[in-house]
Amino acid sequence: MAGVMKLEKYGETNEGRELLLAFVSSPENISRLEEIRKNNLRLTGLLKDKAGDVNAPVIVWLSYNVHGDEASSSEAAMKTLFELLNPANAATKEWLNNTVVIIDPCINPDGRDRYVNWFNSVLGKNLNVNPNAREHSEPWPYGRSNHYNFDLNRDWAWQTQVETKQRMKKYNEWMPQVHCDYHEMGPEDNYFFAPAAEPLHELITPWQREFQHTLGTNHAKYFDANGWLYFTREYYDLFYPSYGDTYPTFNGAIGITYEQAGGGRGGLAYLKSDGDTLTLKDRIAHHFTTGMSTIEMSSKNAVRMMNEFKRYFDEAGSKGIGIYKTYIVTSNDHNKLDELKSLLTNNKIGFGDFNRAGIKGYNYFSGKEEPVITEKYSIAINVVQPKSALIQALFEPSSKLTDSATYDITAWSLPYAFGLKSYAVKENIAVTSTTAHPVIPIPASSYGYLVKYNSFNDAKLLASLLQQGVRVRYAEQQFSFRNKNYARGSLIILRSGNESVFASVPAMLMQHHAEADVVESGMMQTGVDFGSGKIRNIKKPNVAMLTGANISFTGSGEVWHLFDQQLGYPITLINADDIAGVNWKNIDVLIMPGGFYKFLSDKDGANELKTWVKEGGKLIAIESAAAQMASGEWGIKLKKSEEDSGTKNPYASLRKYENRDRDGIVNNIPGAIYKLEMDNSHPLAFGYPDIYFAVKLNDNLYDFMKDGWNVGVVKKNNQVAGFVGNTVKEKIKDGTAIGVVSMGAGSVIFFADDPIFRSFWENGKLLLANAVFLVGQ
Ligand SMILES: [Zn+2]
């Protein structure tokens, strides 16, 4: 009998579209699908009720259209489904006897519909192959991203987006042996299939490499027979762990990327510069072919595949992978630790309590081997567990590259991203179960409350209090009350000015798991009293952000998502092209994400913005927005490298043609981690210790300012992890990465790099919140 399909809805997108999985296999397999799933999970060790059986079907998961404007993917999913279910197709019938195929026809339906609706709206009765035709020129913000303009193919491990969260729950219930991610690249290219390019992560096993070759050889056979062009082993690497190929790879699967030429520019047909016409039909045929070939080879190698899969997880569950056997994470703030715990839980990574005595480990913050000193709250993650490789990939102190020309960032270690003190320990430390942190009751006060402020969670609380009309103050200096010290930035909520809402304050604090104390007097033991001028009132700001064409869609999307979904605080998105008509009186804070701002280069436009700042406005410029301001009169200057000033080696410009790709690497910074020294007496850095780990995405650094506040600086070469080219290395030292310039009654805050990168750089979110709520009050 032919294959049958079971269709399941696993969730909904931000715009309410359905997320679907199609399970296809023989009728016999489909009738015991749940048993097959459970058995497979037993093989991984994630389900422990009994031993798993290797004599079971291979699970092949095919994911389409994670990037919405790579349109041939979902079309190919339909053709693939059809042939799997086609009673006349003897081959697929055969394969489905020992294979379960899971098809996600569209990971990103909001992005795909954005693209398709636009495309249909500009298409005439006859298609046009001219590359300059408007149907080949997709408008901002393009269909690639989801509703909040996140790239879902960078989000697998972090799970910041609803699509990812819902899908990963399913993925971790199934843990397939093979996962393929379908993409498109520029229309002038051909086709890319496995094996992947260097750098391959060192955690990738010989079997995972071998099967990539097995697949590649089989695909090549079909492509050759049709005379189709393709390339392998170039460009698409397996390194950054949050892709649709690497994440499955670090979860014991064969993780694969397929790239078809076309992308957002392919339309229905496109005339390439070599004279060939690339049609949507061609694109579908190629994707369909690699899909079928993948299922074929998985089926033919099912016995080996299942045994290798079991061996992989047996090793993970008995020895663990890598030289570090335990990671310890510790904090005085349970909310900060909770953020990390939920990421671990979403990835099915186990953690727990442990015996703290006499452990030594690599301290991520100092870069040295030291005795482990724990703070108030701690967890240990032992790598002897099913997710061993994923743990190593996410926690490795310094990622090793076999090749430095990579497609994405080269460092992402979670202790830096979350700003949590951590140790990598070579010893295998036993982990016991842990209990959730209980909500601490906060008694009613007749005078006021003092609230600890040092995590993004506290900023969420602040945003919520302001929204509910609570007047909040903060201290510019530390003080003590009843023998307890309160750091700078501690929030002060007094009955005074809050009479009507005061009774509900304890509930608001508890809802946000705040750490708060009752205070009965305005006179402090040490430091300033509450009537002092050094106690600042936090005004509820009207926040706006510039967005639109020429502005980073991901950069502006991150800010939008932060306010709309995480802080729950209103933000007005204004198209940068409409800036001439803006009523500046309605804006207190203006955020400019990375991008190019035409009006800034225009004298009148720049002056209007400057006037608003001088009258009390607060401007937050991020990445290239800050760099663009450095070329105007805004009080900041970009640092020049020695190379730029031309004092170096006279032969430096003599290069060999064949080395042109390699030579380019010296100018590369594909996302590395730098240690910044922080002036945490400035409100921008309240809640932080005197260091901060930034993900550096460009080589911009600013001259130390005499007339401004150098809040986050790189001293010497403070690179901590990741790859940085030699020329760039020289440039990124002794300069300011985060600064504040006062202008009249207002201020300009600039970030050389994106502080909330992909929304997984958790520790930067408080910086942005401080910029919005605390600076310049
Ligand atoms: Zn893609």
Side-chain angles (χ1 to χ4, degrees):
M1 259 173 53
V4 290
M5 175 180 83
K6 184 174 169 271
L7 195 63
E8 187 183 312
K9 175 181 166 179
Y10 70 88
E12 270 182 21
T13 66
N14 287 296
E15 296 173 20
R17 292 185 177 83
E18 286 187 325
L19 294 165
L20 299 169
L21 287 178
F23 297 83
V24 187
S25 196
S26 68
E28 197 268 324
N29 287 335
I30 291 293
S31 71
R32 53 181 192 100
L33 201 55
E34 180 61 6
E35 183 45 38
I36 292 172
R37 184 188 74 78
K38 281 187 173 164
N39 179 64
N40 196 63
L41 217 50
R42 286 175 192 127
L43 292 174
T44 67
L46 286 169
L47 181 63
K48 290 193 176 76
D49 57 348
K50 57 181 176 179
D53 181 2
V54 286
N55 297 311
V58 171
I59 295 156
V60 178
W61 184 310
L62 308 175
S63 291
Y64 296 89
N65 244 142
V66 62
H67 294 143
D69 57 2
E70 298 171 0
S72 75
S73 305
S74 290
E75 308 291 342
M78 298 303 119
K79 188 170 164 66
T80 307
L81 262 176
F82 179 85
E83 282 306 325
L84 290 174
L85 298 171
N86 182 359
N89 191 326
T92 56
K93 212 188 290 183
E94 170 79 30
W95 304 337
L96 292 177
N97 285 329
N98 68 353
T99 309
V100 173
V101 181
I102 304 177
I103 290 182
D104 188 329
C106 191
I107 287 184
N108 177 14
D110 289 352
R112 186 183 159 85
D113 273 10
R114 184 158 68 244
Y115 170 74
V116 172
N117 287 333
W118 164 79
F119 181 79
N120 287 332
S121 78
V122 295
L123 185 71
K125 178 166 164 262
N126 300 301
L127 64 86
N128 190 326
V129 298
N130 184 340
N132 297 126
R134 67 170 181 175
E135 68 205 60
H136 301 297
S137 176
E138 201 189 352
W140 194 96
Y142 324 104
R144 179 182 178 88
S145 55
N146 77 342
H147 177 77
Y148 284 101
N149 297 128
F150 276 66
D151 183 333
L152 296 179
N153 194 33
R154 303 291 184 278
D155 194 44
W156 277 66
W158 325 130
Q159 300 174 38
T160 68
Q161 299 303 295
V162 288
E163 292 89 351
T164 323
K165 275 187 191 122
Q166 297 171 100
R167 188 180 74 254
M168 294 316 293
K169 191 169 173 292
K170 283 285 152 197
Y171 187 93
N172 280 305
E173 283 169 13
W174 275 94
M175 296 290 282
Q177 278 75 36
V178 180
H179 179 268
C180 302
D181 206 32
Y182 279 88
H183 290 264
E184 288 192 324
M185 54 192 165
E188 295 288 348
D189 272 308
N190 290 300
Y191 197 94
F192 168 83
F193 52 70
E198 296 289 339
L200 292 181
H201 201 287
E202 56 175 355
L203 293 170
I204 297 169
T205 67
W207 161 247
Q208 288 172 325
R209 287 164 191 251
E210 184 193 323
F211 196 73
Q212 288 229 352
H213 281 268
T214 307
L215 284 177
T217 311
N218 202 54
H219 303 335
K221 189 179 78 187
Y222 293 115
F223 274 57
D224 290 343
N226 284 295
W228 296 337
L229 294 177
Y230 54 88
F231 66 97
T232 64
R233 289 163 294 188
E234 286 181 80
Y235 199 54
Y236 297 101
D237 58 63
L238 288 174
F239 197 62
Y240 171 76
S242 217
Y243 288 140
D245 52 11
T246 45
Y247 186 95
T249 301
F250 298 139
N251 280 272
I254 312 294
I256 299 178
T257 290
Y258 292 124
E259 293 273 357
Q260 162 62 47
R265 298 193 57 207
L268 289 176
Y270 177 96
L271 182 64
K272 291 171 73 161
S273 57
D274 63 8
D276 281 348
T277 299
L278 174 70
T279 67
L280 180 61
K281 210 175 153 195
D282 298 332
R283 290 151 61 197
I284 295 167
H286 304 159
H287 267 347
F288 166 74
T289 301
T290 55
M292 282 294 152
S293 169
T294 302
I295 298 166
E296 177 192 11
M297 293 318 279
S298 304
S299 170
K300 285 185 172 157
N301 292 278
V303 174
R304 171 93 193 273
M305 178 90 77
M306 295 308 288
N307 279 292
E308 291 285 353
F309 188 74
K310 180 173 187 302
R311 196 158 69 103
Y312 179 95
F313 285 101
D314 283 351
E315 194 174 317
S318 60
K319 291 202 304 220
I321 294 159
I323 52 164
Y324 293 113
K325 296 300 177 202
T326 312
Y327 293 96
I328 291 172
V329 187
T330 184
S331 177
N332 282 324
D333 187 311
H334 65 85
N335 290 313
K336 274 186 87 158
L337 199 55
D338 283 351
E339 290 289 349
L340 179 73
K341 282 190 198 170
S342 66
L343 184 144
L344 297 175
T345 304
N346 289 344
N347 285 290
K348 296 273 179 272
I349 293 173
F351 56 85
D353 206 351
F354 60 101
N355 185 340
R356 286 153 176 72
I359 310 169
K360 275 187 95 170
Y362 171 86
N363 180 339
Y364 285 72
F365 286 10
S366 70
K368 292 183 188 121
E369 201 67 25
E370 288 171 10
V372 171
I373 300 166
T374 52
E375 299 188 340
K376 214 163 152 191
Y377 309 96
S378 305
I379 55 166
I381 302 137
N382 187 309
V383 306
V384 183
Q385 60 168 304
K387 296 289 186 137
S388 195
L390 183 64
I391 296 168
Q392 297 292 9
L394 297 178
F395 278 87
E396 57 192 347
S398 169
S399 28
K400 289 180 197 68
L401 280 176
T402 54
D403 187 320
S404 39
T406 175
Y407 192 57
D408 209 295
I409 61 167
T410 56
W412 48 78
S413 195
L414 292 179
Y416 301 123
F418 282 72
L420 285 164
K421 194 176 159 194
S422 305
Y423 299 88
V425 180
K426 286 182 181 142
E427 208 182 319
N428 190 333
I429 295 166
V431 168
T432 56
S433 67
T434 171
T435 46
H437 191 81
V439 177
I440 307 162
I442 297 168
S445 166
S446 56
Y447 189 87
Y449 302 91
L450 296 173
V451 187
K452 186 167 146 177
Y453 182 85
N454 58 352
S455 71
F456 181 58
N457 180 72
D458 302 329
K460 285 186 199 166
L461 165 71
L462 173 59
S464 159
L465 291 170
L466 293 175
Q467 286 261 79
Q468 292 176 79
V470 179
R471 178 186 285 197
V472 186
R473 298 164 168 94
Y474 76 91
E476 272 199 333
Q477 296 187 351
Q478 67 164 11
F479 59 90
S480 66
F481 180 73
R482 283 196 182 160
N483 299 323
K484 188 172 169 181
N485 288 323
Y486 293 87
R488 298 182 182 101
S490 295
L491 303 180
I492 302 160
I493 304 160
L494 303 178
R495 167 183 285 278
S496 166
N498 278 318
E499 287 76 7
S500 62
V501 285
F502 198 60
S504 46
V505 168
M508 295 179 192
L509 297 175
M510 281 191 282
Q511 195 202 332
H512 282 86
H513 301 225
E515 264 185 59
D517 298 311
V518 163
V519 62
E520 303 93 357
S521 162
M523 183 187 269
M524 295 298 100
Q525 196 175 336
T526 63
V528 294
D529 300 324
F530 291 162
S532 159
K534 290 183 174 107
I535 301 292
R536 302 285 178 168
N537 186 40
I538 303 174
K539 189 182 167 233
K540 182 184 163 194
N542 287 322
V543 183
M545 175 180 74
L546 294 182
T547 186
N550 299 321
I551 293 166
S552 162
F553 64 93
T554 51
S556 53
E558 287 161 9
V559 176
W560 181 24
H561 187 263
L562 188 91
F563 278 82
D564 207 29
Q565 290 282 343
Q566 301 176 52
L567 280 171
Y569 194 87
I571 183 167
T572 305
L573 308 190
I574 299 171
N575 284 320
D577 287 345
D578 298 337
I579 195 155
V582 163
N583 181 355
W584 290 100
K585 290 196 166 40
N586 293 336
I587 303 172
D588 302 310
V589 177
L590 182 71
I591 301 175
M592 292 169 64
F596 176 75
Y597 294 86
K598 220 160 56 190
F599 74 90
L600 271 186
S601 316
D602 161 56
K603 211 169 170 213
D604 290 344
N607 280 339
E608 196 177 326
L609 187 63
K610 221 172 271 175
T611 304
W612 168 76
V613 174
K614 284 178 182 160
E615 285 171 359
K618 189 156 57 173
L619 185 62
I620 301 172
I622 301 171
E623 280 199 295
S624 48
Q628 199 188 340
M629 296 179 76
S631 59
E633 300 289 308
W634 292 89
I636 58 169
K637 284 282 163 270
L638 270 173
K639 250 180 89 77
K640 283 203 173 72
S641 69
E642 290 173 27
E643 203 79 357
D644 293 342
S645 36
T647 54
K648 279 263 163 151
N649 173 9
Y651 303 118
S653 49
L654 303 181
R655 299 182 299 120
K656 240 180 148 174
Y657 182 72
E658 66 172 357
N659 293 340
R660 62 196 184 281
D661 285 354
R662 297 286 96 194
D663 287 347
I665 287 171
V666 298
N667 298 313
N668 252 8
I669 174 160
I673 298 171
Y674 273 77
K675 187 195 250 182
L676 305 188
E677 294 189 23
M678 301 294 277
D679 171 9
N680 62 4
S681 70
H682 192 284
L684 184 56
F686 280 180
Y688 287 89
D690 55 8
I691 53 164
Y692 170 77
F693 295 92
V695 59
K696 193 102 195 65
L697 303 155
N698 57 58
D699 62 359
N700 291 343
L701 209 56
Y702 297 87
D703 286 338
F704 292 136
M705 296 175 290
K706 284 196 203 100
D707 299 324
W709 304 111
N710 303 282
V711 178
V713 302
V714 180
K715 280 195 191 160
K716 302 269 179 337
N717 177 352
N718 249 339
Q719 184 201 347
V720 174
F723 175 79
V724 180
N726 280 329
T727 314
V728 182
K729 217 171 237 174
E730 280 305 300
K731 200 175 162 190
I732 307 179
K733 61 182 185 190
D734 294 323
T736 297
I738 301 169
V740 181
V741 181
S742 299
M743 283 184 119
S747 44
V748 179
I749 299 155
F750 64 92
F751 293 98
D753 297 278
D754 179 352
I756 56 168
F757 184 59
R758 293 178 186 166
S759 202
F760 91 92
W761 208 261
E762 195 63 35
N763 201 29
K765 292 176 183 173
L766 180 64
L767 273 175
L768 193 58
N770 286 349
V772 170
F773 296 112
L774 300 190
V775 174
Q777 294 283 359

